[in-house]
Amino acid sequence: MNAALGARILVIDDEPQIRKLLKVTLQAHQYDHYECADGEEGITQASVVHPDLIILDLGLPGISGMDVLHRIREWSQVPIIVLTAKDQEADKIAALDAGADDYVTKPFGMGELVARIRVALRHVAKTTDEPILRFGSLVIDLALRQVELDGEQVKLTPTEYEMLKVLASNAGKIITQRQLLQQVWGAHHHESDSHYLRVYVGHLRKKLKEDPTRPSYIQTEPGIGYRFLLPAE
């Protein structure tokens, strides 16, 4: 799928002005646009339209946006970008932990939203059963558990490798601290162990020859988690 053309995008938002703005913008970028104003209809449309991406407002009347997110995630892994007027980290983390791929806080710039859409669609396009992940000069062989940078093998500890695998396998998505801790260290770890993440991310950045102030691979989402960056188009 060409992430720039023809993707089906479903907008679930109860504000007519927002829906109108999104319709104009999405159609201008040659996306196929669908919309609805409440959660129940949104769930129905998601099952009928089979969108390539959903833009979901959390502040819906009736069934909440979080409930819609939970319901859709019971049967679909379609990328979901949450729109929220709530700017508290806890609200964003709750949405991401529930299965959202990204979030944009209202009021938002359309350029930022379109960029997030492109990244989410590119992530889907890259998702295959191929055991080798390539990000420019960085190559991760999931079958052999080997990592190469600029043609040279990068020696990682088992924990460093697991962290890199989780992040790179979800390139473009925000992975919360809780998700990363549970996937790398197990379900018994929780946010109070987040210092582990800072230490191991620091190790990874050093081994990937990355400047943390200008990341090429691992971007910190302050207070929330980390995002593995897709190469620039």
Side-chain angles (χ1 to χ4, degrees):
M1 177 183 63
N2 186 329
L5 295 172
R8 299 181 302 277
I9 297 182
L10 172 62
V11 175
I12 308 174
D13 197 302
D14 66 320
E15 296 184 52
Q17 301 91 335
I18 294 290
R19 294 201 307 274
K20 181 177 180 180
L21 177 62
L22 289 173
K23 178 179 181 179
V24 171
T25 300
L26 294 174
Q27 289 181 342
H29 286 82
Q30 302 183 57
Y31 295 116
D32 290 336
H33 166 270
Y34 304 83
E35 67 178 46
C36 51
D38 64 74
E40 290 288 359
E41 184 185 356
I43 293 169
T44 300
Q45 286 293 312
S47 65
V48 172
V49 172
H50 299 295
D52 297 301
L53 182 141
I54 295 174
I55 298 174
L56 173 65
D57 179 23
L58 289 186
L60 297 172
I63 178 173
S64 72
M66 284 295 293
D67 287 336
V68 173
L69 178 57
H70 284 292
R71 293 268 295 275
I72 291 176
R73 278 293 175 256
E74 290 177 359
W75 52 270
S76 174
Q77 292 302 309
V78 60
I80 298 177
I81 297 177
V82 162
L83 287 184
T84 176
K86 303 175 181 180
D87 60 0
Q88 298 296 314
E89 287 180 0
D91 296 313
K92 298 171 183 176
I93 291 170
L96 293 165
D97 281 339
D101 294 80
D102 209 340
Y103 64 85
V104 175
T105 304
K106 296 179 179 179
F108 57 90
M110 293 308 301
E112 176 190 6
L113 178 59
V114 170
R116 300 288 179 90
I117 289 170
R118 289 198 185 107
V119 168
L121 292 173
R122 287 173 61 205
H123 168 69
V124 173
K126 284 179 67 71
T127 303
T128 68
D129 292 329
E130 172 64 43
I132 296 179
L133 304 178
R134 300 179 187 276
F135 304 93
S137 60
L138 177 65
V139 180
I140 304 169
D141 190 321
L142 301 177
L144 298 179
R145 296 175 64 87
Q146 291 182 351
V147 178
E148 288 187 358
L149 180 64
D150 297 324
E152 296 184 1
Q153 187 169 343
V154 180
K155 294 183 179 180
L156 300 179
T157 67
T159 300
E160 290 167 353
Y161 173 81
E162 287 300 323
M163 178 176 282
L164 179 62
K165 182 181 75 172
V166 171
L167 291 169
S169 297
N170 293 280
K173 295 177 58 175
I174 298 174
I175 303 298
T176 66
Q177 294 178 356
R178 178 186 301 151
Q179 291 169 333
L180 199 49
L181 283 165
Q182 291 182 345
Q183 291 190 52
V184 176
W185 281 277
H188 60 287
H189 282 274
H190 46 81
E191 286 93 333
S192 63
D193 297 321
S194 61
H195 60 281
Y196 287 119
L197 301 181
R198 291 190 294 272
V199 170
Y200 280 95
V201 166
H203 292 169
L204 276 176
R205 282 175 168 155
K206 184 175 181 180
K207 292 184 178 182
L208 296 178
K209 303 176 183 177
E210 179 167 82
D211 178 356
T213 65
R214 300 179 62 185
S216 301
Y217 302 112
I218 304 172
Q219 176 175 295
T220 300
E221 298 287 342
I224 295 172
Y226 301 91
R227 187 199 305 262
F228 197 88
L229 299 173
L230 286 163
E233 293 181 308

